[in-house]
């Protein structure tokens, strides 16, 4: 099922987004609520906390006194880690139970305030961040929650800042307007991305890039999020992941698809459980046989495996090539040479524009580029020898 991470700073309106998604049909799991549940009165979690920190962390009714517990652990890192060893496994186990209880075709939204701070972003198919101006958040906290301004500022400062959250976000929902505007944005996200993503994920269906776009300066950041998900999916295997292709070269207009190379020890390994783990993570294998044309022409095909993305908002080509193979090396060499040589980068961009106008069909266009690539490979090999380049 599709797993969505939802986060945002205190006072951002994250709860309003979660409520709207629940109304639309999502299964929402509130991390704060789960954390309270596992240490509720009579729970095994609370009993272990008392056994570890004594009854001084209980209130007059025998419930957990969070302020008293905070006074014990927040100034003592060892104590905080003992507390986390008690609560975190229970939170994970309870969350897993709630996910397992969701319908098979559900969109599961984990509402996690500290998702970014604790590094959970790669564990989700998609991360949604609710972003609101700090001034607006301060106003909401003082008006709606009765906080004094100093306390509200302290709470905001204790969390990740907007830039750090944006770096982890596949989707940023701005909540500086009114509730109707926020609901409209959430409805569009649900209709245009979450529902089709869930359907594609279940069908093991990849989206296909169509539109040629101008260079996007955020492509490297988008790649970094994808790479983190792929790394999480293939763990514990420690496989090399690289950003390749036109979106890895600054200044190139191209189809809006992120090309990623995953180095594997063998194609047999690529055909095993690894393929299923990638599909579960939102990167289904594309049907058919895939290969790269050898450079120079005339040799045997450079066979590979190709996966795509089930996310309609982020097309991906994930190339699985044997580490150290000619195709693996060539992808890295071409990327690095075009990055280093502005003249060849400009020449390649001009060629792409001319061929796109003369031969819109992508297969024909690819064939027409072959002579340029053969010449570029010779230039790149000379550059590599001169500079000492290595993959």
């Amino acid at each position: 099922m599709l797993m969505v991470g939802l986060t945002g700073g205190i006072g951002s309106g994250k709860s309003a987004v979660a409520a709207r998604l629940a109304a639309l049909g999502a299964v929402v799991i509130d991390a704060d609520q789960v954390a309270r549940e596992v240490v509720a009165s009579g729970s095994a979690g609370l009993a272990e906390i008392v056994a570890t920190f004594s009854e001084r962390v209980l209130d007059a009714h025998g419930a957990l006194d969070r302020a008293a517990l905070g006074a014990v652990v927040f100034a003592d890192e060892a104590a905080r880690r003992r507390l986390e060893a008690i609560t975190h496994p229970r939170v994970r186990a309870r969350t897993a139970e709630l996910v397992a209880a969701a319908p098979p075709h559900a969109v599961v939204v984990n509402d996690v305030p500290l998702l970014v701070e604790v590094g959970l972003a790669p564990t989700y198919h998609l991360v949604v961040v609710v972003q609101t101006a700090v001034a607006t958040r301060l106003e909401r906290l003082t008006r709606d929650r009765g906080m004094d301004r100093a306390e509200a500022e302290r709470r905001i400062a204790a969390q990740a800042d907007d830039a750090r959250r944006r770096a982890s976000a596949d989707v940023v929902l701005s909540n500086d307007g009114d509730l109707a505007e926020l609901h409209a944005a959430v409805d569009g996200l649900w209709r245009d991305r979450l529902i089709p993503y869930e359907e594609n994920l279940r069908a093991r269906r990849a989206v296909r890039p169509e539109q040629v776009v101008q260079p996007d300066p955020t492509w490297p950041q988008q790649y970094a999020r994808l790479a983190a998900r792929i790394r999480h999916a293939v763990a514990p295997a420690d496989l090399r992941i690289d950003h390749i292709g036109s979106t890895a070269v600054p200044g190139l207009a191209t189809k809006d698809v992120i090309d990623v190379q995953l180095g594997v020890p063998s194609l047999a390994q690529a055909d095993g459980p690894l393929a299923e783990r990638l599909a579960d993570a939102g990167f289904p294998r594309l049907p058919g046989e895939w290969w790269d044309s050898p450079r120079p022409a005339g040799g045997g095909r450079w066979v590979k495996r190709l996966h795509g993305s089930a996310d309609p908002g982020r097309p991906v080509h994930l190339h699985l090539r044997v580490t150290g193979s000619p195709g693996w090396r060539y992808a890295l060499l071409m990327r690095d040479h075009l990055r280093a040589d502005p003249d060849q980068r400009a020449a390649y961009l001009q060629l792409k524009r001319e061929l796109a106008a003369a031969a819109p069909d992508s297969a024909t266009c690819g064939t027409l580029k072959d002579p340029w690539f053969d010449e570029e490979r010779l230039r790149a090999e000379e550059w590599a020898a001169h500079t000492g380049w290595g993959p």
Side-chain angles (χ1 to χ4, degrees):
M1 58 187 68
L2 185 69
M3 301 295 297
V4 178
L6 172 65
T7 194
I10 185 171
S12 63
K14 173 177 59 64
S15 296
V17 172
R20 185 64 173 184
L21 287 169
L24 291 168
V27 174
V28 176
I29 300 173
D30 185 329
D32 279 347
Q33 182 177 330
V34 172
R36 289 190 295 271
E37 180 183 329
V38 300
V39 295
S41 296
S43 68
L46 180 58
E48 188 171 352
I49 288 175
V50 172
T52 303
F53 298 105
S54 82
E55 293 187 356
R56 59 183 168 158
V57 299
L58 296 178
D59 64 19
H61 304 287
L64 181 64
D65 185 331
R66 295 182 178 275
L69 179 61
V72 172
V73 303
F74 289 129
D76 183 339
E77 184 174 349
R80 179 177 59 80
R81 294 193 179 199
R82 289 198 299 272
L83 175 63
E84 290 173 349
I86 296 169
T87 60
H88 287 189
R90 288 179 166 85
V91 169
R92 287 194 294 268
R94 180 56 181 152
T95 300
E97 289 177 359
L98 294 170
V99 171
H105 302 160
V107 174
V108 177
V109 176
N110 277 49
D111 179 350
V112 186
L114 300 181
L115 183 152
V116 172
E117 289 84 343
V118 298
L120 290 177
T123 67
Y124 298 103
H125 293 105
L126 199 76
V127 172
V128 178
V129 168
V130 185
Q131 182 172 292
T132 307
V134 171
T136 303
R137 293 164 63 191
L138 287 170
E139 180 183 350
R140 289 174 182 167
L141 291 172
T142 55
R143 181 191 65 217
D144 301 336
R145 302 197 193 180
M147 289 186 192
D148 62 57
R149 187 177 179 87
E151 173 64 10
E153 289 175 342
R154 186 188 69 78
R155 296 271 191 108
I156 289 173
Q159 296 182 336
D161 61 19
D162 287 345
R164 189 176 169 195
R165 285 199 194 88
R166 280 196 302 270
S168 296
D170 301 287
V171 177
V172 175
L173 293 176
S174 176
N175 187 25
D176 291 311
D178 59 24
L179 190 59
E181 291 174 311
L182 181 64
H183 282 178
V186 175
D187 292 354
L189 171 65
W190 178 262
R191 178 188 64 246
D192 300 332
R193 194 160 185 179
L194 298 186
I195 290 299
Y197 195 169
E198 187 282 323
E199 292 172 350
N200 290 340
L201 184 68
R202 178 161 30 99
R204 295 295 199 255
R205 181 173 56 233
V207 298
R208 302 304 297 267
E210 298 295 339
Q211 186 177 6
V212 175
V213 298
Q214 292 303 308
D216 184 342
T218 72
W219 277 334
Q221 289 74 38
Q222 294 181 52
Y223 157 76
R225 291 194 292 272
L226 294 166
R229 282 198 183 97
I230 294 166
R231 189 169 293 109
H232 178 76
V234 304
D238 185 17
L239 304 179
R240 176 166 168 175
I241 306 171
D242 290 282
H243 188 190
I244 60 170
S246 293
T247 62
V249 180
L252 288 184
T254 185
K255 284 189 176 181
D256 188 15
V257 55
I258 305 292
D259 282 279
V260 181
Q261 177 166 271
L262 178 64
V264 293
S266 68
L267 291 182
Q269 179 167 338
D271 293 335
L274 181 66
E276 273 303 299
R277 292 203 298 271
L278 289 171
D280 288 342
F283 304 98
R285 182 169 168 178
L286 296 180
E289 299 296 321
W290 298 90
W291 62 86
D292 301 307
S293 299
R295 307 291 176 189
R301 290 172 172 174
W302 292 346
V303 181
K304 65 180 178 181
R305 302 293 183 260
L306 186 64
H307 289 238
S309 169
D311 178 5
R314 179 63 276 159
V316 172
H317 284 158
L318 175 57
H319 308 259
L320 277 64
R321 298 185 174 106
V322 174
T323 301
S325 66
W328 177 88
R329 179 183 181 277
Y330 176 76
L332 299 172
L333 172 62
M334 292 297 297
R335 176 200 68 187
D336 291 349
H337 183 234
L338 289 175
R339 284 175 172 177
D341 190 328
D343 291 337
Q344 290 309 316
R345 190 163 64 243
Y348 182 42
L349 178 58
Q350 182 61 31
L351 174 71
K352 286 164 69 81
R353 287 171 173 163
E354 291 173 356
L355 293 181
D361 176 72
S362 59
T364 304
C365 185
T367 302
L368 292 174
K369 285 192 287 188
D370 280 349
W372 187 89
F373 274 117
D374 287 338
E375 294 176 6
E376 168 58 12
R377 178 182 175 275
L378 294 176
R379 290 188 291 263
E381 291 290 2
E382 291 177 1
W383 169 80
H386 177 71
T387 61
W389 175 89

